[in-house]
Amino acid sequence: MKTFLALGDSYTIGEQVLLKDSFPYQLVQMLRKNNISINAPEIIAKTGWTTANLLKGISVTKLLKHYDFVSLLIGVNNQYDGVAFSIFEKEFEELILKSISLTKKSENVFVFSIPDWGASPFATERNKEEITKEINEYNFVCKSIAEKHNCVFIEITEEYKFDADNDNFLAADRLHPSAFEYEKWAKKLTEKISVLH
């Protein structure tokens, strides 16, 4: 049986949707339909978590010695909370290295780009341009560090920005994705994993 560990924040736990509709759980269902035997996902993530919170969460969680696949989606709360960019870079790389150590293969680590919440209706009264600019800067770092360590980078930001105008792809809080948006993320990851398998 394959094992999958999902690391992140509210986007990983599926804030505002049922657990089965989060992207890690949708991924597992898709892989099983593709005849890939895989356990239920293990998730280390909480709403509001920054890279520092995630590192601490990992350190206090009893983990398997090895996972076949690890996903990482983190950083939006660093941007939201105004955490120093240099801190994000350092901690993000620590998370990448930890993920690689758990899989033993960098190509089995999947790094998602950070969704641009500035495109959502939730950000109407905020500075959308500034949010987008900062998210782009964060994503440049995410992609650069992922590629530096030969991990797989999965772009979801642009499609989320497009879908943020459509209520079908938004949860009730009009900030987080709906099950339909998470389905898109799960499909992208399923395609990557299926190739490896």
Side-chain angles (χ1 to χ4, degrees):
M1 293 285 281
K2 300 292 185 183
T3 52
F4 170 53
L5 175 66
L7 304 174
D9 50 36
S10 59
Y11 293 126
T12 296
I13 63 170
E15 178 73 22
Q16 298 277 313
V17 302
L18 297 173
L19 184 63
K20 70 179 181 64
D21 291 328
S22 66
F23 86 79
Y25 275 85
Q26 290 201 60
L27 166 77
V28 164
Q29 291 306 315
M30 289 177 189
L31 290 174
R32 287 173 177 170
K33 285 178 184 175
N34 287 356
N35 297 313
I36 297 175
S37 297
I38 185 167
N39 290 326
E42 289 187 43
I43 298 174
I44 303 177
K46 283 190 179 177
T47 297
W49 269 11
T50 62
T51 45
N53 298 135
L54 180 54
L55 283 166
K56 184 175 181 181
I58 292 169
S59 72
V60 298
T61 302
K62 185 174 176 59
L63 298 167
L64 299 177
K65 289 184 178 179
H66 173 267
Y67 292 88
D68 292 293
F69 313 109
V70 174
S71 70
L72 177 63
L73 171 48
I74 193 75
V76 70
N77 296 300
N78 290 68
Q79 182 274 327
Y80 184 81
D81 293 346
V83 177
F85 198 67
S86 58
I87 291 175
F88 171 73
E89 288 184 280
K90 177 179 175 292
E91 293 176 345
F92 189 82
E93 187 154 30
E94 286 179 40
L95 288 164
I96 289 278
L97 293 172
K98 180 62 178 177
S99 299
I100 294 171
S101 74
L102 289 168
T103 59
K104 308 298 188 290
K105 291 183 180 179
S106 56
E107 62 267 30
N108 286 4
V109 175
F110 303 92
V111 180
F112 283 95
S113 64
I114 303 166
D116 181 1
W117 67 276
S120 72
F122 183 86
T124 299
E125 303 304 320
R126 302 173 188 269
N127 188 336
K128 291 193 172 199
E129 287 186 10
E130 186 63 24
I131 293 167
T132 295
K133 177 177 175 290
E134 291 179 1
I135 293 292
N136 286 343
E137 290 172 351
Y138 274 74
N139 277 328
F140 178 80
V141 168
C142 292
K143 185 176 183 181
S144 298
I145 295 176
E147 291 179 347
K148 171 185 172 183
H149 293 287
N150 298 311
C151 299
V152 179
F153 186 76
I154 300 177
E155 161 59 44
I156 58 172
T157 307
E158 291 307 311
E159 195 165 16
Y160 173 77
K161 284 163 69 172
F162 179 80
D163 290 342
D165 282 333
N166 186 332
D167 285 345
N168 289 330
F169 293 98
L170 288 170
D173 64 1
R174 296 176 65 76
L175 167 63
H176 288 93
S178 72
F180 295 114
E181 186 71 16
Y182 286 129
E183 181 183 7
K184 290 185 174 187
W185 303 2
K187 281 181 178 176
K188 287 182 183 235
L189 189 44
T190 297
E191 289 170 4
K192 301 289 187 184
I193 290 176
S194 296
V195 169
L196 288 173
H197 183 77

